[in-house]
Amino acid sequence: MTASGTAGLEAAVVNTVSPGEKVLVLVTGAFGERFAKICDNHKLNVIRHDVEWGKAVSPDIVRKYAEKHPNIKAVFATFCETSTGVLNPIQDLAEAVHTHTDGLFIVDGVSAIGGADVKMDDWGIDVLLTGSQKAMMLPPGLCFIAVSPTAWNVIEKNSARPFYLDLVKYRDKLADDSTPFTPGLSLLMGLEQVLNRINNEGLEQVFNRHLLMKEMTRAAFRAMDIPLLASDEDASPTVTAVQPKNFDPDAMRKLLKAEFGLDLAGGQQHMKGDIFRIGHMGYCSPANVLQTISLIEIGVQKISGETETATGTKAAQKTYLEWM
Ligand SMILES: *Cc1c(COP(=O)(O)O)cnc(C)c1O
């Protein structure tokens, strides 16, 4: 679809469930919250489970809600919670959803797909969506949605599907290699190129490279003694959130932007001024990670005067050299 990622979230909601129906939304940060807001907006009966920002959701939770609420039509989750750098355990969540409910399992994969391994069919994801501008390496403007046979059955029976976001229209037109509305054609041409690029590198190696970049980044901050927001177990291969105690992350971001043109993301909502985030997805390479760490060390040195430079770079280099 020619639209940003959020349209994918909205399409996933409004095609599959109808006003009044009960849904469970697992909220681990700003993007889980967006799913909850879309569900509220669609007048669903929303059961919302909030997890402390920086932590992954536990699959056990699904059973607890399912016991209390027999009629859950869909469970919504975020694969990579971009606001915190957490990768939720989607495979285990899918199993819990299908064991304890008859509902669909719907996943926002916007900052994960293209960087984190996913087995939609094997794991039992019913709707999986992503956007063009994160790990898919394109400018913004496209979103992609994959739908399971079970979910298609539900969607086809929905008599109040939206107009532009009607997934059945897109599926039917796809059979003629076409789209129901004017496509973002230049982006589709770019898409062919990035898919070739992913193919040439090899999907397994793409995922391996993202895991390596995660480990390099985390090793660097551990060595610098600057706290990471997410635990090793919960950490995403595509984005790392850092929660410094001894300096203002926004002051450092500002300095790095001004001196080097390096863009680091800040915290969202209540984490504003508390964390900074490093995106290491898509076009990023281990070389970019080394450069970023090295620049951050200059920033930290200038802002706090505390860390000896090259400590983090050295740890990241070591991780790189030891990576199999
Ligand atoms: C970026 C992002 C979105 C929103 O996508 P837009 O293209 O900005 O509409 C949704 N979910 C996640 C996890 C994201 O990272």
Side-chain angles (χ1 to χ4, degrees):
M1 295 194 305
T2 301
S4 89
T6 303
L9 273 72
E10 180 148 301
V13 172
V14 299
N15 279 273
T16 57
V17 275
S18 305
E21 288 186 331
K22 198 174 275 185
V23 296
L24 171 62
V25 185
L26 306 170
V27 178
T28 53
F31 291 104
E33 185 155 342
R34 187 166 300 181
F35 248 157
K37 281 184 180 158
I38 293 168
C39 289
D40 278 335
N41 198 64
H42 193 45
K43 306 271 187 295
L44 300 171
N45 181 352
V46 180
I47 311 158
R48 173 176 165 150
H49 175 71
D50 276 273
V51 177
E52 186 191 338
W53 284 37
K55 293 196 162 53
V57 64
S58 158
D60 283 348
I61 283 299
V62 175
R63 180 178 49 81
K64 287 187 190 146
Y65 283 97
E67 279 168 2
K68 252 199 268 171
H69 304 277
N71 251 324
I72 293 174
K73 295 289 182 191
V75 178
F76 293 88
T78 315
F79 196 170
C80 171
E81 180 49 78
T82 324
S83 60
T84 61
V86 160
L87 195 77
N88 281 302
I90 293 302
Q91 181 174 11
D92 295 343
L93 285 166
E95 192 185 332
V97 169
H98 297 308
T99 306
H100 303 294
T101 81
D102 294 324
L104 299 175
F105 185 43
I106 297 177
V107 177
D108 168 1
V110 175
S111 62
I113 302 308
D117 196 4
V118 63
K119 303 266 190 287
M120 179 174 177
D121 300 334
D122 294 352
W123 295 359
I125 302 171
D126 290 297
V127 179
L128 179 63
L129 63 103
T130 192
S132 50
Q133 80 275 22
K134 307 275 171 81
M136 294 304 292
M137 301 184 276
L138 289 164
L142 290 182
C143 70
F144 312 98
I145 307 187
V147 178
S148 75
T150 315
W152 276 126
N153 282 334
V154 173
I155 293 168
E156 281 162 0
K157 288 195 190 94
N158 179 358
S159 59
R161 288 196 303 270
F163 189 83
Y164 185 77
L165 300 180
D166 179 358
L167 292 178
V168 172
K169 282 198 189 103
Y170 288 85
R171 183 194 63 183
D172 292 350
K173 276 290 183 180
L174 208 54
D176 311 328
D177 287 331
S178 186
T179 52
F181 312 106
T182 308
L185 199 54
S186 52
L187 290 171
L188 286 176
M189 289 170 174
L191 177 64
E192 186 172 22
Q193 299 307 314
V194 298
L195 292 177
N196 284 337
R197 195 184 158 102
I198 288 172
N199 240 356
N200 290 340
E201 184 178 356
L203 202 51
E204 289 309 312
Q205 177 49 27
V206 169
F207 299 145
N208 185 47
R209 171 168 52 84
H210 283 84
L211 290 173
L212 170 57
M213 294 192 294
K214 168 183 84 165
E215 293 303 334
M216 288 171 70
T217 305
R218 295 179 68 80
F221 288 99
R222 251 185 252 117
M224 288 188 270
D225 213 13
I226 301 174
L228 295 156
L229 179 64
S231 69
D232 289 346
E233 199 187 14
D234 293 350
S236 168
T238 55
V239 55
T240 297
V242 184
Q243 194 172 32
K245 294 279 173 263
N246 300 330
F247 62 90
D248 173 10
D250 286 346
M252 191 196 58
R253 293 198 307 117
K254 212 172 148 198
L255 183 146
L256 291 179
K257 176 72 178 167
E259 291 195 19
F260 301 106
L262 177 69
D263 254 315
L264 297 173
Q268 290 174 278
Q269 299 181 22
H270 68 274
M271 299 224 105
K272 228 181 184 68
D274 192 28
I275 61 172
F276 66 91
R277 294 174 296 146
I278 303 166
H280 37 78
M281 65 182 92
Y283 284 116
C284 276
S285 70
N288 298 134
V289 172
L290 287 173
Q291 186 182 40
T292 301
I293 299 297
S294 174
L295 296 179
I296 287 172
E297 286 183 312
I298 291 177
V300 173
Q301 175 73 259
K302 281 196 161 189
I303 296 278
S304 78
E306 278 188 25
T307 313
E308 220 178 292
T309 52
T311 314
T313 303
K314 199 170 169 186
Q317 287 173 330
K318 186 162 180 278
T319 303
Y320 180 83
L321 288 168
E322 287 170 359
W323 190 259
M324 307 289 278

